[in-house]
Amino acid sequence: MTMRTACLTILAMLAFAANSLLCRLALKDGHIDAASFTALRIGSGALVLALVIRARGARPLAAGNWRSAWALFVYAAGFSTAYLGLSAATGALVLFGAVQATMIGYGLYAGERMTARQVAGLAIAAAGLTALLLPGLAAPSLPHALLMAIAGVAWGVYSLRAKGAGDPANATAGNFLRAAPMALALGLAWLPWSRIGSAGIAYALASGALASGLGYVIWYQALRGLNATTAASVQLCVPVLATLGGVLLLSEPLSWRLLYSAVAILGGLALVILGKARPRQG
């Protein structure tokens, strides 16, 4: 890995973790409602990506499709609404676990066979997620956790559909532009109950334009210097960064329950990602 690729990868992971922190920061003190946050995030992300694609001499709507745009919208709406009741750390863990479970499940459906180490890793990750969500004083809100899981499944579907879709930056720009009217419609439908402060607008625009729009552009540049296993592995640091950010910047508590669950979930998924799957024979 070159120094340029390493720097781009670090910037992209920081951007992805920042999405959780910015969303939680905007919603936890009522700076903005979830629907308005979603509309501003998708809209500003679409604008930045369209400008980048235009600067490359391509048409922003030339790539992407409506099915992927719907998956993107479901992810963004579920993500924002879930953070009304989850800490940055818990939300990032549930999201990442659901994304990986979706992609692993599709791989099994497509004929992949897991090694013993991968099966053990999957069992450890599932046990960690179960321990995190079990009822108790430190348990997160189950409805909000389920919403984040739905967001993770949607993002997993979006990621699977992105494979083989041509230039990923062009496809992402097209999907964001198609998802923007959906997010706007959600924001308008929620307008009678909306609350929009200047701080909330700033957080939403930073999430959309910087952490999402530019974050994806940086990530796709980094991917050119990463193999598939490394690309999947480095994303394990995103929930860790979100946890550290939540503790240091949002003063969120770091319970033993969260810590043990995080180690189990991320450690188990690392075993799955680093294990070598076998294709189905015959």
Side-chain angles (χ1 to χ4, degrees), residues 117-153:
R117 183 170 69 172
Q118 286 181 304
V119 172
L122 190 59
I124 292 170
L129 187 58
T130 301
L132 178 65
L133 299 179
L134 280 175
L137 291 177
S141 164
L142 186 57
H144 291 97
L146 290 175
L147 274 174
M148 188 61 84
I150 291 171
V153 170

PDB file of all heavy atoms in Angstrom, residues 117-153:
ATOM      1  N   ARG A 117     -13.281 -21.320  10.428  1.00  0.00           N
ATOM      2  CA  ARG A 117     -12.924 -20.066  11.101  1.00  0.00           C
ATOM      3  C   ARG A 117     -13.976 -18.992  10.829  1.00  0.00           C
ATOM      4  O   ARG A 117     -14.332 -18.212  11.716  1.00  0.00           O
ATOM      5  CB  ARG A 117     -11.545 -19.580  10.644  1.00  0.00           C
ATOM      6  CG  ARG A 117     -11.091 -18.326  11.369  1.00  0.00           C
ATOM      7  CD  ARG A 117      -9.653 -17.997  11.087  1.00  0.00           C
ATOM      8  NE  ARG A 117      -9.438 -17.557   9.711  1.00  0.00           N
ATOM      9  CZ  ARG A 117      -8.275 -17.057   9.266  1.00  0.00           C
ATOM     10  NH1 ARG A 117      -7.238 -16.994  10.067  1.00  0.00           N
ATOM     11  NH2 ARG A 117      -8.156 -16.679   8.008  1.00  0.00           N
ATOM     12  N   GLN A 118     -14.484 -18.955   9.612  1.00  0.00           N
ATOM     13  CA  GLN A 118     -15.513 -17.977   9.288  1.00  0.00           C
ATOM     14  C   GLN A 118     -16.816 -18.258  10.031  1.00  0.00           C
ATOM     15  O   GLN A 118     -17.488 -17.332  10.498  1.00  0.00           O
ATOM     16  CB  GLN A 118     -15.770 -17.960   7.775  1.00  0.00           C
ATOM     17  CG  GLN A 118     -14.667 -17.290   6.977  1.00  0.00           C
ATOM     18  CD  GLN A 118     -14.988 -17.282   5.498  1.00  0.00           C
ATOM     19  OE1 GLN A 118     -15.219 -18.343   4.914  1.00  0.00           O
ATOM     20  NE2 GLN A 118     -15.008 -16.113   4.896  1.00  0.00           N
ATOM     21  N   VAL A 119     -17.188 -19.528  10.116  1.00  0.00           N
ATOM     22  CA  VAL A 119     -18.402 -19.892  10.850  1.00  0.00           C
ATOM     23  C   VAL A 119     -18.264 -19.484  12.312  1.00  0.00           C
ATOM     24  O   VAL A 119     -19.195 -18.931  12.918  1.00  0.00           O
ATOM     25  CB  VAL A 119     -18.677 -21.398  10.727  1.00  0.00           C
ATOM     26  CG1 VAL A 119     -19.829 -21.819  11.653  1.00  0.00           C
ATOM     27  CG2 VAL A 119     -19.016 -21.755   9.278  1.00  0.00           C
ATOM     28  N   ALA A 120     -17.089 -19.741  12.888  1.00  0.00           N
ATOM     29  CA  ALA A 120     -16.855 -19.355  14.282  1.00  0.00           C
ATOM     30  C   ALA A 120     -16.932 -17.837  14.430  1.00  0.00           C
ATOM     31  O   ALA A 120     -17.520 -17.320  15.391  1.00  0.00           O
ATOM     32  CB  ALA A 120     -15.494 -19.865  14.747  1.00  0.00           C
ATOM     33  N   GLY A 121     -16.345 -17.114  13.469  1.00  0.00           N
ATOM     34  CA  GLY A 121     -16.376 -15.657  13.523  1.00  0.00           C
ATOM     35  C   GLY A 121     -17.792 -15.116  13.438  1.00  0.00           C
ATOM     36  O   GLY A 121     -18.163 -14.182  14.164  1.00  0.00           O
ATOM     37  N   LEU A 122     -18.591 -15.718  12.567  1.00  0.00           N
ATOM     38  CA  LEU A 122     -19.979 -15.282  12.419  1.00  0.00           C
ATOM     39  C   LEU A 122     -20.764 -15.542  13.700  1.00  0.00           C
ATOM     40  O   LEU A 122     -21.578 -14.713  14.126  1.00  0.00           O
ATOM     41  CB  LEU A 122     -20.619 -16.023  11.243  1.00  0.00           C
ATOM     42  CG  LEU A 122     -22.003 -15.530  10.786  1.00  0.00           C
ATOM     43  CD1 LEU A 122     -21.937 -14.068  10.366  1.00  0.00           C
ATOM     44  CD2 LEU A 122     -22.511 -16.383   9.627  1.00  0.00           C
ATOM     45  N   ALA A 123     -20.513 -16.692  14.338  1.00  0.00           N
ATOM     46  CA  ALA A 123     -21.197 -17.014  15.594  1.00  0.00           C
ATOM     47  C   ALA A 123     -20.796 -16.033  16.700  1.00  0.00           C
ATOM     48  O   ALA A 123     -21.636 -15.584  17.492  1.00  0.00           O
ATOM     49  CB  ALA A 123     -20.868 -18.446  16.014  1.00  0.00           C
ATOM     50  N   ILE A 124     -19.521 -15.676  16.750  1.00  0.00           N
ATOM     51  CA  ILE A 124     -19.041 -14.719  17.765  1.00  0.00           C
ATOM     52  C   ILE A 124     -19.667 -13.347  17.536  1.00  0.00           C
ATOM     53  O   ILE A 124     -20.123 -12.691  18.482  1.00  0.00           O
ATOM     54  CB  ILE A 124     -17.502 -14.620  17.717  1.00  0.00           C
ATOM     55  CG1 ILE A 124     -16.876 -15.937  18.184  1.00  0.00           C
ATOM     56  CG2 ILE A 124     -17.008 -13.462  18.582  1.00  0.00           C
ATOM     57  CD1 ILE A 124     -15.381 -16.026  17.952  1.00  0.00           C
ATOM     58  N   ALA A 125     -19.715 -12.905  16.281  1.00  0.00           N
ATOM     59  CA  ALA A 125     -20.307 -11.603  15.974  1.00  0.00           C
ATOM     60  C   ALA A 125     -21.789 -11.579  16.323  1.00  0.00           C
ATOM     61  O   ALA A 125     -22.297 -10.600  16.875  1.00  0.00           O
ATOM     62  CB  ALA A 125     -20.101 -11.279  14.494  1.00  0.00           C
ATOM     63  N   ALA A 126     -22.501 -12.673  15.996  1.00  0.00           N
ATOM     64  CA  ALA A 126     -23.930 -12.751  16.311  1.00  0.00           C
ATOM     65  C   ALA A 126     -24.156 -12.727  17.819  1.00  0.00           C
ATOM     66  O   ALA A 126     -25.087 -12.080  18.311  1.00  0.00           O
ATOM     67  CB  ALA A 126     -24.532 -14.021  15.704  1.00  0.00           C
ATOM     68  N   ALA A 127     -23.296 -13.423  18.565  1.00  0.00           N
ATOM     69  CA  ALA A 127     -23.419 -13.426  20.022  1.00  0.00           C
ATOM     70  C   ALA A 127     -23.168 -12.026  20.581  1.00  0.00           C
ATOM     71  O   ALA A 127     -23.854 -11.587  21.516  1.00  0.00           O
ATOM     72  CB  ALA A 127     -22.427 -14.418  20.626  1.00  0.00           C
ATOM     73  N   GLY A 128     -22.199 -11.311  20.002  1.00  0.00           N
ATOM     74  CA  GLY A 128     -21.925  -9.956  20.455  1.00  0.00           C
ATOM     75  C   GLY A 128     -23.088  -9.020  20.200  1.00  0.00           C
ATOM     76  O   GLY A 128     -23.439  -8.188  21.059  1.00  0.00           O
ATOM     77  N   LEU A 129     -23.702  -9.142  19.035  1.00  0.00           N
ATOM     78  CA  LEU A 129     -24.849  -8.293  18.717  1.00  0.00           C
ATOM     79  C   LEU A 129     -26.041  -8.629  19.613  1.00  0.00           C
ATOM     80  O   LEU A 129     -26.758  -7.735  20.080  1.00  0.00           O
ATOM     81  CB  LEU A 129     -25.228  -8.467  17.245  1.00  0.00           C
ATOM     82  CG  LEU A 129     -26.299  -7.518  16.697  1.00  0.00           C
ATOM     83  CD1 LEU A 129     -25.881  -6.066  16.869  1.00  0.00           C
ATOM     84  CD2 LEU A 129     -26.585  -7.825  15.233  1.00  0.00           C
ATOM     85  N   THR A 130     -26.241  -9.915  19.877  1.00  0.00           N
ATOM     86  CA  THR A 130     -27.330 -10.332  20.765  1.00  0.00           C
ATOM     87  C   THR A 130     -27.118  -9.776  22.172  1.00  0.00           C
ATOM     88  O   THR A 130     -28.046  -9.273  22.812  1.00  0.00           O
ATOM     89  CB  THR A 130     -27.421 -11.861  20.824  1.00  0.00           C
ATOM     90  OG1 THR A 130     -27.655 -12.370  19.505  1.00  0.00           O
ATOM     91  CG2 THR A 130     -28.544 -12.311  21.750  1.00  0.00           C
ATOM     92  N   ALA A 131     -25.875  -9.865  22.656  1.00  0.00           N
ATOM     93  CA  ALA A 131     -25.562  -9.351  23.993  1.00  0.00           C
ATOM     94  C   ALA A 131     -25.796  -7.842  24.070  1.00  0.00           C
ATOM     95  O   ALA A 131     -26.263  -7.323  25.085  1.00  0.00           O
ATOM     96  CB  ALA A 131     -24.115  -9.678  24.345  1.00  0.00           C
ATOM     97  N   LEU A 132     -25.504  -7.144  22.986  1.00  0.00           N
ATOM     98  CA  LEU A 132     -25.701  -5.695  22.966  1.00  0.00           C
ATOM     99  C   LEU A 132     -27.177  -5.330  23.067  1.00  0.00           C
ATOM    100  O   LEU A 132     -27.547  -4.352  23.728  1.00  0.00           O
ATOM    101  CB  LEU A 132     -25.110  -5.120  21.679  1.00  0.00           C
ATOM    102  CG  LEU A 132     -25.265  -3.602  21.461  1.00  0.00           C
ATOM    103  CD1 LEU A 132     -24.494  -2.826  22.523  1.00  0.00           C
ATOM    104  CD2 LEU A 132     -24.788  -3.215  20.058  1.00  0.00           C
ATOM    105  N   LEU A 133     -28.044  -6.123  22.426  1.00  0.00           N
ATOM    106  CA  LEU A 133     -29.460  -5.774  22.326  1.00  0.00           C
ATOM    107  C   LEU A 133     -30.346  -6.424  23.380  1.00  0.00           C
ATOM    108  O   LEU A 133     -31.531  -6.107  23.470  1.00  0.00           O
ATOM    109  CB  LEU A 133     -29.982  -6.156  20.931  1.00  0.00           C
ATOM    110  CG  LEU A 133     -29.288  -5.458  19.753  1.00  0.00           C
ATOM    111  CD1 LEU A 133     -29.868  -5.948  18.436  1.00  0.00           C
ATOM    112  CD2 LEU A 133     -29.415  -3.949  19.858  1.00  0.00           C
ATOM    113  N   LEU A 134     -29.791  -7.339  24.177  1.00  0.00           N
ATOM    114  CA  LEU A 134     -30.590  -7.979  25.209  1.00  0.00           C
ATOM    115  C   LEU A 134     -31.132  -6.948  26.199  1.00  0.00           C
ATOM    116  O   LEU A 134     -30.462  -5.966  26.511  1.00  0.00           O
ATOM    117  CB  LEU A 134     -29.746  -9.009  25.971  1.00  0.00           C
ATOM    118  CG  LEU A 134     -29.560 -10.376  25.303  1.00  0.00           C
ATOM    119  CD1 LEU A 134     -28.604 -11.220  26.139  1.00  0.00           C
ATOM    120  CD2 LEU A 134     -30.902 -11.100  25.158  1.00  0.00           C
ATOM    121  N   PRO A 135     -32.355  -7.140  26.692  1.00  0.00           N
ATOM    122  CA  PRO A 135     -32.933  -6.182  27.642  1.00  0.00           C
ATOM    123  C   PRO A 135     -32.048  -6.007  28.878  1.00  0.00           C
ATOM    124  O   PRO A 135     -31.397  -6.938  29.338  1.00  0.00           O
ATOM    125  CB  PRO A 135     -34.273  -6.819  28.018  1.00  0.00           C
ATOM    126  CG  PRO A 135     -34.599  -7.713  26.873  1.00  0.00           C
ATOM    127  CD  PRO A 135     -33.283  -8.237  26.375  1.00  0.00           C
ATOM    128  N   GLY A 136     -32.031  -4.806  29.394  1.00  0.00           N
ATOM    129  CA  GLY A 136     -31.226  -4.491  30.575  1.00  0.00           C
ATOM    130  C   GLY A 136     -31.059  -2.994  30.710  1.00  0.00           C
ATOM    131  O   GLY A 136     -31.491  -2.225  29.832  1.00  0.00           O
ATOM    132  N   LEU A 137     -30.421  -2.565  31.780  1.00  0.00           N
ATOM    133  CA  LEU A 137     -30.268  -1.134  32.025  1.00  0.00           C
ATOM    134  C   LEU A 137     -29.439  -0.452  30.942  1.00  0.00           C
ATOM    135  O   LEU A 137     -29.671   0.704  30.613  1.00  0.00           O
ATOM    136  CB  LEU A 137     -29.613  -0.918  33.399  1.00  0.00           C
ATOM    137  CG  LEU A 137     -30.466  -1.286  34.621  1.00  0.00           C
ATOM    138  CD1 LEU A 137     -29.673  -1.089  35.895  1.00  0.00           C
ATOM    139  CD2 LEU A 137     -31.747  -0.445  34.641  1.00  0.00           C
ATOM    140  N   ALA A 138     -28.467  -1.167  30.397  1.00  0.00           N
ATOM    141  CA  ALA A 138     -27.583  -0.561  29.404  1.00  0.00           C
ATOM    142  C   ALA A 138     -28.003  -0.867  27.975  1.00  0.00           C
ATOM    143  O   ALA A 138     -27.285  -0.531  27.036  1.00  0.00           O
ATOM    144  CB  ALA A 138     -26.141  -1.038  29.628  1.00  0.00           C
ATOM    145  N   ALA A 139     -29.154  -1.513  27.808  1.00  0.00           N
ATOM    146  CA  ALA A 139     -29.593  -1.888  26.460  1.00  0.00           C
ATOM    147  C   ALA A 139     -30.047  -0.657  25.680  1.00  0.00           C
ATOM    148  O   ALA A 139     -30.676   0.245  26.231  1.00  0.00           O
ATOM    149  CB  ALA A 139     -30.724  -2.895  26.536  1.00  0.00           C
ATOM    150  N   PRO A 140     -29.733  -0.612  24.374  1.00  0.00           N
ATOM    151  CA  PRO A 140     -30.216   0.490  23.548  1.00  0.00           C
ATOM    152  C   PRO A 140     -31.700   0.325  23.238  1.00  0.00           C
ATOM    153  O   PRO A 140     -32.288  -0.731  23.474  1.00  0.00           O
ATOM    154  CB  PRO A 140     -29.382   0.361  22.271  1.00  0.00           C
ATOM    155  CG  PRO A 140     -29.077  -1.100  22.181  1.00  0.00           C
ATOM    156  CD  PRO A 140     -28.913  -1.564  23.610  1.00  0.00           C
ATOM    157  N   SER A 141     -32.314   1.366  22.727  1.00  0.00           N
ATOM    158  CA  SER A 141     -33.721   1.313  22.323  1.00  0.00           C
ATOM    159  C   SER A 141     -33.894   0.291  21.205  1.00  0.00           C
ATOM    160  O   SER A 141     -33.287   0.431  20.126  1.00  0.00           O
ATOM    161  CB  SER A 141     -34.178   2.696  21.845  1.00  0.00           C
ATOM    162  OG  SER A 141     -35.380   2.612  21.119  1.00  0.00           O
ATOM    163  N   LEU A 142     -34.696  -0.734  21.441  1.00  0.00           N
ATOM    164  CA  LEU A 142     -34.870  -1.791  20.450  1.00  0.00           C
ATOM    165  C   LEU A 142     -35.501  -1.276  19.149  1.00  0.00           C
ATOM    166  O   LEU A 142     -35.030  -1.626  18.061  1.00  0.00           O
ATOM    167  CB  LEU A 142     -35.693  -2.938  21.026  1.00  0.00           C
ATOM    168  CG  LEU A 142     -35.829  -4.175  20.130  1.00  0.00           C
ATOM    169  CD1 LEU A 142     -34.467  -4.733  19.758  1.00  0.00           C
ATOM    170  CD2 LEU A 142     -36.679  -5.247  20.824  1.00  0.00           C
ATOM    171  N   PRO A 143     -36.565  -0.439  19.197  1.00  0.00           N
ATOM    172  CA  PRO A 143     -37.126   0.073  17.938  1.00  0.00           C
ATOM    173  C   PRO A 143     -36.102   0.842  17.109  1.00  0.00           C
ATOM    174  O   PRO A 143     -36.042   0.687  15.883  1.00  0.00           O
ATOM    175  CB  PRO A 143     -38.272   0.980  18.398  1.00  0.00           C
ATOM    176  CG  PRO A 143     -38.658   0.455  19.734  1.00  0.00           C
ATOM    177  CD  PRO A 143     -37.379  -0.008  20.353  1.00  0.00           C
ATOM    178  N   HIS A 144     -35.283   1.649  17.772  1.00  0.00           N
ATOM    179  CA  HIS A 144     -34.279   2.414  17.031  1.00  0.00           C
ATOM    180  C   HIS A 144     -33.161   1.499  16.512  1.00  0.00           C
ATOM    181  O   HIS A 144     -32.621   1.725  15.424  1.00  0.00           O
ATOM    182  CB  HIS A 144     -33.701   3.524  17.908  1.00  0.00           C
ATOM    183  CG  HIS A 144     -34.687   4.620  18.200  1.00  0.00           C
ATOM    184  ND1 HIS A 144     -35.413   4.671  19.360  1.00  0.00           N
ATOM    185  CD2 HIS A 144     -35.081   5.694  17.460  1.00  0.00           C
ATOM    186  CE1 HIS A 144     -36.207   5.735  19.333  1.00  0.00           C
ATOM    187  NE2 HIS A 144     -36.025   6.368  18.191  1.00  0.00           N
ATOM    188  N   ALA A 145     -32.830   0.468  17.286  1.00  0.00           N
ATOM    189  CA  ALA A 145     -31.834  -0.492  16.820  1.00  0.00           C
ATOM    190  C   ALA A 145     -32.344  -1.245  15.593  1.00  0.00           C
ATOM    191  O   ALA A 145     -31.588  -1.512  14.646  1.00  0.00           O
ATOM    192  CB  ALA A 145     -31.484  -1.469  17.939  1.00  0.00           C
ATOM    193  N   LEU A 146     -33.624  -1.602  15.593  1.00  0.00           N
ATOM    194  CA  LEU A 146     -34.210  -2.286  14.430  1.00  0.00           C
ATOM    195  C   LEU A 146     -34.201  -1.375  13.208  1.00  0.00           C
ATOM    196  O   LEU A 146     -33.946  -1.831  12.086  1.00  0.00           O
ATOM    197  CB  LEU A 146     -35.635  -2.742  14.751  1.00  0.00           C
ATOM    198  CG  LEU A 146     -35.758  -3.887  15.759  1.00  0.00           C
ATOM    199  CD1 LEU A 146     -37.221  -4.163  16.079  1.00  0.00           C
ATOM    200  CD2 LEU A 146     -35.086  -5.148  15.224  1.00  0.00           C
ATOM    201  N   LEU A 147     -34.480  -0.089  13.413  1.00  0.00           N
ATOM    202  CA  LEU A 147     -34.413   0.858  12.295  1.00  0.00           C
ATOM    203  C   LEU A 147     -32.998   0.932  11.732  1.00  0.00           C
ATOM    204  O   LEU A 147     -32.805   0.991  10.517  1.00  0.00           O
ATOM    205  CB  LEU A 147     -34.860   2.243  12.756  1.00  0.00           C
ATOM    206  CG  LEU A 147     -36.350   2.544  12.720  1.00  0.00           C
ATOM    207  CD1 LEU A 147     -36.628   3.902  13.348  1.00  0.00           C
ATOM    208  CD2 LEU A 147     -36.874   2.513  11.281  1.00  0.00           C
ATOM    209  N   MET A 148     -31.998   0.935  12.624  1.00  0.00           N
ATOM    210  CA  MET A 148     -30.624   0.975  12.145  1.00  0.00           C
ATOM    211  C   MET A 148     -30.261  -0.312  11.416  1.00  0.00           C
ATOM    212  O   MET A 148     -29.513  -0.290  10.429  1.00  0.00           O
ATOM    213  CB  MET A 148     -29.664   1.216  13.304  1.00  0.00           C
ATOM    214  CG  MET A 148     -28.223   1.461  12.860  1.00  0.00           C
ATOM    215  SD  MET A 148     -28.041   2.945  11.806  1.00  0.00           S
ATOM    216  CE  MET A 148     -27.931   4.226  13.059  1.00  0.00           C
ATOM    217  N   ALA A 149     -30.805  -1.439  11.879  1.00  0.00           N
ATOM    218  CA  ALA A 149     -30.565  -2.703  11.183  1.00  0.00           C
ATOM    219  C   ALA A 149     -31.167  -2.668   9.777  1.00  0.00           C
ATOM    220  O   ALA A 149     -30.553  -3.149   8.812  1.00  0.00           O
ATOM    221  CB  ALA A 149     -31.155  -3.863  11.985  1.00  0.00           C
ATOM    222  N   ILE A 150     -32.363  -2.095   9.647  1.00  0.00           N
ATOM    223  CA  ILE A 150     -32.976  -1.948   8.325  1.00  0.00           C
ATOM    224  C   ILE A 150     -32.103  -1.063   7.440  1.00  0.00           C
ATOM    225  O   ILE A 150     -31.897  -1.352   6.249  1.00  0.00           O
ATOM    226  CB  ILE A 150     -34.394  -1.360   8.458  1.00  0.00           C
ATOM    227  CG1 ILE A 150     -35.325  -2.377   9.116  1.00  0.00           C
ATOM    228  CG2 ILE A 150     -34.954  -0.944   7.096  1.00  0.00           C
ATOM    229  CD1 ILE A 150     -36.679  -1.827   9.486  1.00  0.00           C
ATOM    230  N   ALA A 151     -31.575   0.021   8.026  1.00  0.00           N
ATOM    231  CA  ALA A 151     -30.671   0.891   7.273  1.00  0.00           C
ATOM    232  C   ALA A 151     -29.439   0.123   6.817  1.00  0.00           C
ATOM    233  O   ALA A 151     -28.957   0.299   5.690  1.00  0.00           O
ATOM    234  CB  ALA A 151     -30.261   2.087   8.139  1.00  0.00           C
ATOM    235  N   GLY A 152     -28.930  -0.749   7.692  1.00  0.00           N
ATOM    236  CA  GLY A 152     -27.756  -1.542   7.326  1.00  0.00           C
ATOM    237  C   GLY A 152     -28.046  -2.532   6.210  1.00  0.00           C
ATOM    238  O   GLY A 152     -27.226  -2.716   5.301  1.00  0.00           O
ATOM    239  N   VAL A 153     -29.211  -3.172   6.268  1.00  0.00           N
ATOM    240  CA  VAL A 153     -29.593  -4.088   5.185  1.00  0.00           C
ATOM    241  C   VAL A 153     -29.703  -3.321   3.867  1.00  0.00           C
ATOM    242  O   VAL A 153     -29.240  -3.793   2.815  1.00  0.00           O
ATOM    243  CB  VAL A 153     -30.928  -4.786   5.525  1.00  0.00           C
ATOM    244  CG1 VAL A 153     -31.458  -5.557   4.315  1.00  0.00           C
ATOM    245  CG2 VAL A 153     -30.759  -5.721   6.713  1.00  0.00           C
TER     246      VAL A 153
END
